Amino acid sequence: MNRYLKLVHLEVQRFRYVLFGLMALTLIIQSIAIVWTSRNEMSRIREHEAIRAYYAEHPYSFAFAVSNAYFWLAVPILISVVVLALYVFGIWYRDWFGRDTFAYRLLTLPTARRNVYLAKATAILLFVFSMVAFQLLAMPFYQWLFRLAVPADLREPASLAEAVRGSPVFELLIPTDFTQFLIYYGFGIIAVFIVFTAILLERSYRWRGIFYAIVYIAACLAAFFLPLLLPVMDGNHYLYRTEILAIMIGIAILILAASIALGFRLIARKITV
Amino acid sequence: MVKMKRYAVTLALVLLMAASLTTYYAYGAKLRLPEYRLQTLEGDPAEGAELRIEGSFVGGKGSYYLGVTAEGSEYGNDSLWQRLLYTGNAWIRRDIPDIGALYREHSQFMRGKTNENGFYHDKDWLVYADAEVVQPDLRLVWRIDVLETSTGQRIRYNGEGAEPLGQMDFVNVIDVQKAGDDIHVLTGQGRLGRPEEYRDEVFDAETGKPVRSVKLQLGEPSAPDRELQINYIAEQTLTAPNPHLVFIVEQLGTKSANPAESGVAAAADGAVAEAVPNDQRPKILSRSAMVYSYESGEMDSFPLTVESDESAPEEIWSSRLLVGDTLSILTAAKDAVTVTHYNVTDGSKAAETIIRADQIGQGEIKSALMANNRIYVLVKKDENTDMPIAAVADAADGRILYRGQPVLEDPNGRPQEQLDDVWLSYLGVRR
């Protein structure tokens, strides 16, 4: 356990500047977006009597500001998603294609090789959830900026949940419904393990491995989405929706377990350094 | 300590993640919408227990469905988990008490069932019947599923009916009843562009096989420039036995310009109709109730009241209900609700029950419905954000048993301007 945690820390250290850079980028762009949108709206109010009269009846809220600024709020989030998605591959390949073949040192450490696999997976998930948590922490700061930009007589309070619902990207990233959060990020966790195992297939078998990896990913996707076709195939609606849901959850757990087991086997026995 | 410093970044990320997500889902993710409750103004609170006043809360950003009951507020933002588990089979509503009971008691039998009008249930039998038009021949195929609950014996039939009916474009199963050894499946069926015809398809309860097909005679227009409008009313409790089915047949004074709508047009009744100004509606020349008996196969009729244009107030809507042998017709106008009860076995009419808006409160009647031997009425002063008053009256004599009004219980931090933006204008009864 100790060695596993040290490996996690090692992965975090290797990526920390990129992570902090993404956080800083998010904070800067989103702050500018909130302030610019709010001040723009205040200018419109000053210039147009009809808009001023409307806002006297329906004060401007932080939720509306988020809704109006949703594009620029989404840009740093999308950049972060792309960077983290690429790093799911990069966390492995940088070890093989770097100058010092770091993979050799990593895989000859006096620790079970599965700890390397688990540490990399943990690190990726830690980066993802850290970015999500950072977004949540930044929201009160953006609310404070909003209050600075909009006079008290023209604004009304809005809850964090309303603000999140104001942007479709926020609703996807930090859904207000906890079940949706579990489903979205559950899919994401399973996807990370599937990709990790596909990478290890490639590293184990090289050119043939690419083919195996593609087939493996396709098989996992097919297995997972097959229950969704059940209501279409089952013209008599024989299965209840709860049963289809249970089947899907069961298959997802099986795919996760199979990916981890296969990944352990590959990294322990197939990958040579 | 030095060792811990080495891991500061990792520890900080873990703490950040745990603290933020926990706080958000424990507290921050809640919308904190204001809470309302239906408060008793007068009468027995038990009478108001089934009431739900419906509308929306539009304060802040977005509009949220709001239902107010004696227990509090119901906002229409069920969690994804509740939606996944609750909707079950999307074709049949489980919130209907008798249907929900069938799902609980006979879950295997209920698999694959898609028409909530297709059930019959008594202490010994559970029957499901449905029909569909099969491509490419456009022929009707019937599906009968019978469970004898005392023995567990199950009989299924899947095939054509007793008579070849030719090609059909549509078929709707309206009601299923059992009389003796016969299962009666009352359907509306036909071809597009032609009048719908009603048939009683009879199947044997022991074997599930078809026995006979009876076409119901509901009359013809008495002149070329007239048309019939037909609504059917089945037993209010979907699965309960009822030896009768009622058709309301109205003869209208002018033929519709759309040939597809001329002749006979029908709809399941009990629905609230849209308001239509008197001068744009076809003139109703006559109205009668035609009562079909499943056991005898006979059709009896008796006349129903038709309001004259001069004396009738502007009609807002009407609804009809069949419970056992009693056909109840509710007619609502802005200032009063009138309910008339008929005994379908002999056509006799009980005294009318009238409930005036001023008996309930200031304003106009916005919604009215019948259920559970009660008449539920909603009165509201202003179209917009005024709080309505709901009343429950005895269906037999119109006595007001309960009056209630939604009140604000907890603003949940919402400012007064938002609290004023609640629109409650509809009445519902929790089943």
Side-chain angles (χ1 to χ4, degrees), chain A residues 9 19 67 129 133 136-137 156 161-162 174-181 183 236-238 240-243, chain B residues 6-7 10 16-17 20 24-25 29 61 79-81 85 87-88 90-91 94 107 110-112 114 414 418:
Chain A
H9 172 68
L19 188 66
S67 183
F129 287 116
L136 281 170
L137 267 186
E156 66 174 7
E162 271 184 291
I174 36 176
T176 51
D177 186 323
F178 185 62
T179 308
Q180 269 177 315
F181 175 84
I183 289 173
N236 290 328
H237 310 279
Y238 186 81
Y240 291 130
R241 193 173 292 188
T242 46
E243 293 169 338
Chain B
R6 280 173 63 190
Y7 303 112
T10 309
L16 168 76
M17 183 185 80
S20 287
Y24 179 63
Y25 282 108
K61 190 174 189 307
S79 72
L80 177 62
W81 187 247
L85 290 183
T87 41
W91 295 97
R94 294 198 189 196
S107 59
M110 293 298 283
R111 287 187 185 280
T114 56
R414 297 274 170 167
Q418 286 188 18

Side-chain angles (χ1 to χ4, degrees), chain B residues 317-373:
Chain B
W317 62 82
S318 68
S319 65
R320 294 138 181 173
L321 204 66
L322 178 67
V323 179
D325 289 341
T326 304
L327 170 69
S328 303
I329 298 177
L330 179 149
T331 307
K334 287 182 183 175
D335 58 345
V337 168
T338 307
V339 178
T340 314
H341 304 287
Y342 296 88
N343 187 316
V344 299
T345 56
D346 57 15
S348 60
K349 176 180 163 181
E352 282 181 346
T353 303
I354 298 175
I355 299 157
R356 298 187 316 277
D358 58 19
Q359 288 177 260
I360 298 166
Q362 285 187 351
E364 296 177 348
I365 292 173
K366 296 295 181 190
S367 184
L369 53 92
M370 291 181 290
N372 312 321
N373 287 321

Side-chain angles (χ1 to χ4, degrees), chain A residues 134-166:
Chain A
F134 179 78
Q135 182 67 75
L136 281 170
L137 267 186
M139 295 297 277
F141 174 68
Y142 301 148
Q143 272 186 308
W144 177 73
L145 289 176
F146 170 80
R147 283 196 293 271
L148 289 180
V150 178
D153 58 334
L154 289 173
R155 66 170 191 259
E156 66 174 7
S159 63
L160 177 60
E162 271 184 291
V164 166
R165 286 183 172 216

Side-chain angles (χ1 to χ4, degrees), chain B residues 158-174:
Chain B
N158 200 327
E160 296 198 340
E163 285 179 26
L165 298 174
Q167 290 185 326
M168 293 288 167
D169 289 314
F170 64 88
V171 60
N172 299 314
V173 171
I174 295 164

